């Protein structure tokens, strides 16, 4: 794993829509910029050797950094994102985050039971990146559908991948829409009429 740099982004929201929240909601993104292990090799059929070698180590490194900033018991929402540079395939970004070898490290460390919300894309250096999050144990809890935005001025370079995980100690400050399960129940009742 050729790790060039690690960036940390912290946001604390106090007021939304002109109204203060009951408490601030803090979100953290830790992003690694690493060399794309498949860059310059043409089309690589089997990505597995590099996934097995890199994903668990990267998951551990990023998880430790998040937990240094927010204890596991405070984390309510989580997610992950990857952006490959323009010389790579989106599949290269996906390969780094869409494996249990990466995601389970973070999920287990924070006591999560849902999948990690995700985004994988291709971008140039300095592009705005989005890391979506959801509640770590209730996948239909819309109050915790949030997104952390961040950017790295010099990454990803053409032959790099940015891999990030994010956590928040809450959801949106003033959620006012129904959870998915409430919608499902209401729609079933409406259909039965």
């Amino acid at each position: 794993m050729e790790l060039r740099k690690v960036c940390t982004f912290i946001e604390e929201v106090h007021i939304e829509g002109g109204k203060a929240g009951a408490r601030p909601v803090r979100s953290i993104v830790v992003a690694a910029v690493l060399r794309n292990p498949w860059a310059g090799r043409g089309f690589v059929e089997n990505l597995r050797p590099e996934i097995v070698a890199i994903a668990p180590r990267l998951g551990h490194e990023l998880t430790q950094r998040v937990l240094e900033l927010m204890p596991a018991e405070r984390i309510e929402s989580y997610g992950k994102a990857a952006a490959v540079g323009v010389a790579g395939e989106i599949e290269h970004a996906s390969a780094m985050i869409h494996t249990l070898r990466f995601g389970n490290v973070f999920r287990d460390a924070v006591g999560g039971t849902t999948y990690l919300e995700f985004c994988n894309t291709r971008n140039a250096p300095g592009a705005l990146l989005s890391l979506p999050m959801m509640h770590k144990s209730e996948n239909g809890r819309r109050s915790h559908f949030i997104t952390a935005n961040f950017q790295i001025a010099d990454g990803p370079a053409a032959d790099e991948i940015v891999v990030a995980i994010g956590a928040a100690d809450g959801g949106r400050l003033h959620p006012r829409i129904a959870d998915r399960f409430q919608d499902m129940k209401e729609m079933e009742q409406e259909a039965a009429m």
Side-chain angles (χ1 to χ4, degrees):
M1 177 170 70
E2 292 182 45
L3 184 63
R4 181 167 67 86
K5 67 192 290 186
V6 177
C7 304
T8 302
F9 306 89
I10 300 172
E11 178 179 87
E12 199 172 88
V13 179
H14 294 259
I15 298 171
E16 183 72 30
K19 180 181 175 183
R23 66 173 177 81
V25 173
R26 187 177 202 208
S27 63
I28 297 168
V29 172
V30 178
V33 182
L34 60 146
R35 186 180 180 286
N36 180 342
W38 303 287
R41 295 172 50 190
F43 186 85
V44 177
E45 186 66 40
N46 183 9
L47 306 180
R48 185 171 169 73
E50 291 81 3
I51 292 169
V52 171
I54 297 170
R57 290 171 44 211
L58 189 56
H60 179 74
E61 178 70 26
L62 297 178
T63 298
Q64 289 307 115
R65 289 173 182 260
V66 166
L67 293 177
E68 288 170 7
L69 299 168
M70 185 180 290
E73 60 275 5
R74 246 181 77 200
I75 294 173
E76 293 182 16
S77 304
Y78 62 8
K80 60 188 176 181
V84 68
V86 295
E89 297 176 46
I90 291 178
E91 189 71 5
H92 298 161
S94 297
M96 286 295 136
I97 63 171
H98 293 307
T99 168
L100 297 179
R101 296 172 190 279
F102 177 81
N104 277 3
V105 176
F106 188 29
R107 185 177 10 263
D108 293 346
V110 302
T113 57
T114 62
Y115 68 89
L116 288 155
E117 188 64 87
F118 64 90
C119 176
N120 41 257
T121 189
R122 178 184 296 109
N123 263 325
L128 185 65
L129 302 172
S130 295
L131 190 149
M133 291 185 251
M134 64 186 282
H135 196 279
K136 70 178 183 179
S137 60
E138 298 176 41
N139 66 355
R141 195 165 173 187
R142 289 188 180 130
S143 60
H144 286 62
F145 290 1
I146 58 176
T147 302
N149 292 311
F150 67 99
Q151 59 192 140
I152 300 171
D154 63 348
D159 64 348
E160 292 180 327
I161 302 174
V162 171
V163 177
I165 60 173
D169 63 1
R172 297 185 308 279
L173 281 189
H174 310 298
R176 300 185 299 281
I177 60 173
D179 286 345
R180 181 174 185 267
F181 305 111
Q182 182 179 339
D183 281 357
M184 290 169 61
K185 183 178 177 181
E186 288 173 359
M187 291 171 74
E188 285 175 11
Q189 290 171 347
E190 291 166 6
M193 295 178 150

